[in-house]
Amino acid sequence: DAGITQSPRYKITETGRQVTLMCHQTWSHSYMFWYRQDLGHGLRLIYYSAAADITDKGEVPDGYVVSRSKTENFPLTLESATRSQTSVYFCASSPAQVYEQYFGPGTRLTVT
Amino acid sequence: GEDVEQSLFLSVREGDSSVINCTYTDSSSTYLYWYKQEPGAGLQLLTYIFSNMDMKQDQRLTVLLNKKDKHLSLRIADTQTGDSAIYFCAESIKTGANNLFFGTGTRLTVIP
């Protein structure tokens, strides 16, 4: 299917474990983003990428790692999950020179 | 830094108009956006306005921008139960990256 997908949609993990959230887009958009959504905070940018092999930190990058070896994929890794990383994570993409972002359906992550 | 604020909740009766407000602080905004998030889903772009415009109308949606006061509003005419969702305003600024800065979101509840 065309568009932007995230997997898994739901994940429960334990404190200290590594977990990777996947994001895939079929539009060949240059930009990709990871956000977390928490009550009272709206959406906060974790990392973004302007192109393959180019990534940069957002507002709340600590505890997260990203990579972008291919334009269409932008995985987000929690190297050692903490309870404070329990959240809903959204991936988004955007064409170059256009500011609108297109969002995936989200991944609900619970860290116990 | 960028600061986008919204009230958290709004309730209206079906058929009435809804007005969702947003204030932002960065005067170098280029575009301002309204996104809608339905339960369990990602954000969908509803509409946007360029920063040199005062108003934009799109069917039941009217966006008003007061650049002097840095105030953005979204009016939904004849609000329906299907309009119940969280509405986010967002601004883009000239940073060289396609970043958007989101408000906390307003949860609109439409009462039948």
Side-chain angles (χ1 to χ4, degrees):
Chain A
D1 287 346
I4 183 165
T5 56
Q6 294 183 237
S7 61
R9 293 294 314 277
Y10 303 92
K11 177 75 176 178
I12 300 173
T13 192
E14 294 178 344
T15 300
R17 288 193 182 269
Q18 182 181 82
V19 60
T20 296
L21 309 184
M22 303 301 293
C23 178
H24 176 78
Q25 53 107 353
T26 60
W27 294 306
S28 298
H29 285 171
S30 299
Y31 284 87
M32 294 187 76
F33 307 84
W34 274 107
Y35 294 91
R36 58 179 291 173
Q37 183 180 22
D38 304 289
L39 191 63
H41 289 281
L43 287 171
R44 292 183 290 177
L45 182 65
I46 304 170
Y47 269 96
Y48 67 98
S49 167
D53 297 321
I54 301 174
T55 63
D56 210 345
K57 296 178 180 179
E59 182 185 356
V60 289
D62 293 344
Y64 303 95
V65 174
V66 293
S67 61
R68 192 150 176 226
S69 57
K70 292 184 178 181
T71 300
E72 61 266 30
N73 296 324
F74 191 38
L76 175 74
T77 298
L78 289 67
E79 292 189 303
S80 178
T82 65
R83 289 195 184 91
S84 65
Q85 292 176 310
T86 293
S87 187
V88 180
Y89 291 85
F90 288 99
C91 179
S93 70
S94 173
Q97 308 306 320
V98 173
Y99 288 105
E100 297 97 274
Q101 295 181 14
Y102 300 89
F103 283 78
T107 294
R108 182 174 293 275
L109 176 68
T110 301
V111 183
T112 62
Chain B
E2 299 73 19
D3 196 6
V4 182
E5 295 187 354
Q6 302 177 240
S7 53
L8 290 179
F9 302 100
L10 176 67
S11 293
V12 299
R13 294 212 172 269
E14 190 174 16
D16 288 350
S17 292
S18 308
V19 179
I20 303 170
N21 295 303
C22 172
T23 58
Y24 60 97
T25 56
D26 199 308
S27 58
S28 64
S29 295
T30 53
Y31 288 90
L32 294 126
Y33 299 83
W34 284 104
Y35 280 84
K36 177 183 181 182
Q37 184 184 30
E38 296 184 355
L43 279 70
Q44 293 178 292
L45 179 64
L46 271 183
T47 187
Y48 65 92
I49 188 168
F50 188 48
S51 58
N52 69 354
M53 296 171 63
D54 298 325
M55 186 183 85
K56 180 178 181 180
Q57 187 147 5
D58 184 0
Q59 299 182 340
R60 293 191 297 123
L61 304 179
T62 303
V63 178
L64 295 177
L65 176 60
N66 181 330
K67 200 168 181 182
K68 174 178 170 289
D69 294 339
K70 299 189 182 68
H71 183 265
L72 181 74
S73 68
L74 174 69
R75 178 177 181 270
I76 305 173
D78 186 25
T79 311
Q80 302 299 305
T81 55
D83 295 323
S84 292
I86 302 175
Y87 291 81
F88 290 90
C89 66
E91 63 170 342
S92 61
I93 60 173
K94 294 176 184 174
T95 63
N98 277 23
N99 291 357
L100 292 180
F101 299 92
F102 287 86
T104 52
T106 299
R107 183 181 294 276
L108 173 66
T109 301
V110 181
I111 304 164

